[in-house]
Amino acid sequence: MAASCGRIFRVLNNISISQTSFNLSGRIRSSYSKRCTLQQINRTSPSLLVEGQRRCMTTLQADDKNIPHEHPQKDIQGGDQEVLKLEIDTTEDEDIPDVLYSHLCIEVKGHDIAVLDSYEKFVQLASKCLGLTGYSVKRPKYDVLRRSLLRSVHIFKKHYVQYEQRTYYRVFNFTRTTGSTADTFLEYIQRNLPEGVAMKVTKHRLEALPDHLKPPKQKESISDS
Amino acid sequence: MAALMTLRKLGSFPLTIPYVALRGISTTCTNAATVNKNRLHVRVGRFKPSKDKSIALTYDESKPPYKIGLEKAWNSWNTSNLKGETRMSETLTDDVFIQNFLKGTWGLMQASDVVIKRRHNMIHIFMHILPKRDLQPIYFLLGYSEELLSSLLKCPVKLELQSVQKPRDLIFKYI
C-alpha cells in the first residue's frame, strides 16, 4: 500500500514537474515576445528562446535529482527534449522587416497649460521606461483669438469686454526609433491622451535608395587598377 | 437645477437655453487692477439672493461664468475650439442635443448638469441621478440612452452615472 502510494506520488510528481516546466517555458516565451514587440533590435531567434528554457530546466533538474525515476516514460530527460521541441511562434515577425524611423515628432495642443505640463511629464516618463532615445521637448508660444463685445446691455459704446481663446502647444521629438517601438509608445501615449487635448504625429521613415538612383557598381574598374 | 426650479416658481421668465459654455473661452484681463471688472454687467448664470435664503444652489450654479477655469470646470471637453481644429459648430450642436435628450429621458431623476468628454471617437457622458427604489428602470434607461445616442451620433457613447441618495447632497449654498 505504502509502496504503491509512493509510486503514485512519484508519478504525480513527475507529471507536475513536466507541467511546471511547460508553464515556465510558456511564460518565458511570452516575456521574450513582449520584449520583442517593444524593442525589436535583437530579433527573437529560436536559439535564444531555447536557451532560456534550457536554463530553467537545468534548475528544475537540480531539485529533482533526489527523486528516483521508476517510470521511464515519465523521464524528465525526455520531457526536457519535448519542451525544447515546442513550436516557437516568431516566423511571422521575422518575415516582415521592421520599419526604421529617423525622427518622430508629436505635436500636442490644448486650452489648459497645466494639463499640457502634466502630459509632458507623463510622456517623458513613458519614453524613459520604454527606452526611447533622443527625447526633446519644445514649448512654442500660445496662439490667441480675441473678440471684443460690448460690456453693457444698453448703450455705453466706449466700454467693451474681451474674451479670448488660447491654444497652448508642446512638441516632442524622438530620434532613431524602430517601427515596433514607435507603435507601442504611440499607442500608450494616445490611450492616455486627456480629453480636450489634440495630437498630431509626424513620422520620418528611412527608406532604401531606389535601384534607379543607386550609383553603378565599379568592381571591374577597381580590379583592373 | 434647483435654482431654475425656484425661478419658475417665482414666475420670472426662465431662460430655456441650456447652459453651454464654449470650450476654451475666458476673459482676457487677469491682472489685479482689472480682475474685478470681469464680473461687471454679467447677467447670465447668476441668481438674485432671496430674503429668507430659500434658493438652493449646487456648486456649479453658485459659481459665476467668469470663474470657469478658475473655480469651475467646463461641461463639455473637446478639441473643436483649438486653433486649426474643425467641427466647432457640429460639436456644440451635438452637446446641446445630448443635454436635451438626457433631460427628456431621465427628467426629474437627473440631479446635476451633464458633463460630456470626447476621447478619440468615443463620447463619455457623466451625470448624477436620484435613484428610485426600483433599479430595473434605471438600467433600462441607461441602455436605452447609450444605444440611441450611439446610433444618432454615429460613435460609441458611454453613459456613466453616479447616484445621489438625497437632493440635499448636491446643495452647496443657500441664497
Side-chain angles (χ1 to χ4, degrees), chain A residues 64-78:
Chain A
D64 293 331
K65 268 174 192 166
N66 298 324
I67 299 167
H69 306 292
E70 285 197 347
H71 296 262
Q73 59 253 56
K74 308 281 182 193
D75 207 353
I76 293 168
Q77 299 286 328

Side-chain angles (χ1 to χ4, degrees), chain A residues 109 151 162 164 190 195, chain B residues 26 28 83 85 119-120:
Chain A
K109 45 182 167 171
R151 180 176 283 165
Q162 283 177 324
E164 65 179 21
Q190 282 160 10
E195 51 281 323
Chain B
S26 58
T28 298
K83 187 178 177 182
E85 298 290 328
R119 286 177 208 143
H120 308 293

